[in-house]
Amino acid sequence: MIPDERVDKAVDYLVNSAAKAAKCRADRWKAEHYRKSLKAILMGEKLGETLGAQEQYAESNQRYIDHLRAARDLVFADELCRVEREAAVMLIETWRTYQANLRSIKI
């Protein structure tokens, strides 16, 4: 059985973490989309070279690599927010099912 206090904490968590979850998602989205812009900027630094050479330069550039590392951290933070919120929802749903089952037994 899940204590009511745990359910209350799960509900509070969902309410209080909504802004953080939204920020995590927005930061992830920005990082994923900026990767394309950064690659284009870096490729533009080698305009006189072949497309393959431009791409190789961009993808091996330290700024691009640093951005990928930062993006990885943002994806991790977003996924962590998502699974923590999902766990809270699952806990609440499990409690609701248990409560419904108790009511059906009493009837």
Side-chain angles (χ1 to χ4, degrees):
M1 185 170 118
I2 300 170
D4 291 348
E5 295 80 29
R6 263 188 87 190
V7 176
D8 291 341
K9 284 182 182 179
V11 171
D12 288 342
Y13 174 76
L14 288 173
V15 170
N16 295 326
S17 68
K20 178 186 174 191
K23 181 165 179 0
C24 286
R25 179 60 46 97
D27 290 346
R28 175 184 183 166
W29 184 89
K30 181 181 176 185
E32 288 175 346
H33 286 80
Y34 180 68
R35 178 188 58 80
K36 298 173 192 174
S37 297
L38 179 58
K39 185 175 177 180
I41 291 166
L42 293 170
M43 288 176 72
E45 293 177 3
K46 299 292 182 178
L47 283 178
E49 300 188 23
T50 66
L51 189 59
Q54 289 175 1
E55 193 167 13
Q56 186 276 330
Y57 169 78
E59 291 182 354
S60 65
N61 188 285
Q62 191 61 47
R63 288 185 290 169
Y64 189 79
I65 293 167
D66 291 343
H67 176 72
L68 291 177
R69 287 187 181 125
R72 177 196 59 205
D73 294 342
L74 293 170
V75 168
F76 177 82
D78 180 42
E79 288 298 313
L80 184 61
C81 283
R82 185 185 64 78
V83 297
E84 286 176 344
R85 289 178 60 81
E86 211 171 272
V89 169
M90 290 175 67
L91 181 110
I92 293 165
E93 289 302 316
T94 302
W95 177 83
R96 288 180 64 200
T97 301
Y98 180 76
Q99 294 300 314
N101 288 342
L102 283 179
R103 284 192 303 276
S104 69
I105 292 171
K106 291 179 183 177
I107 295 175

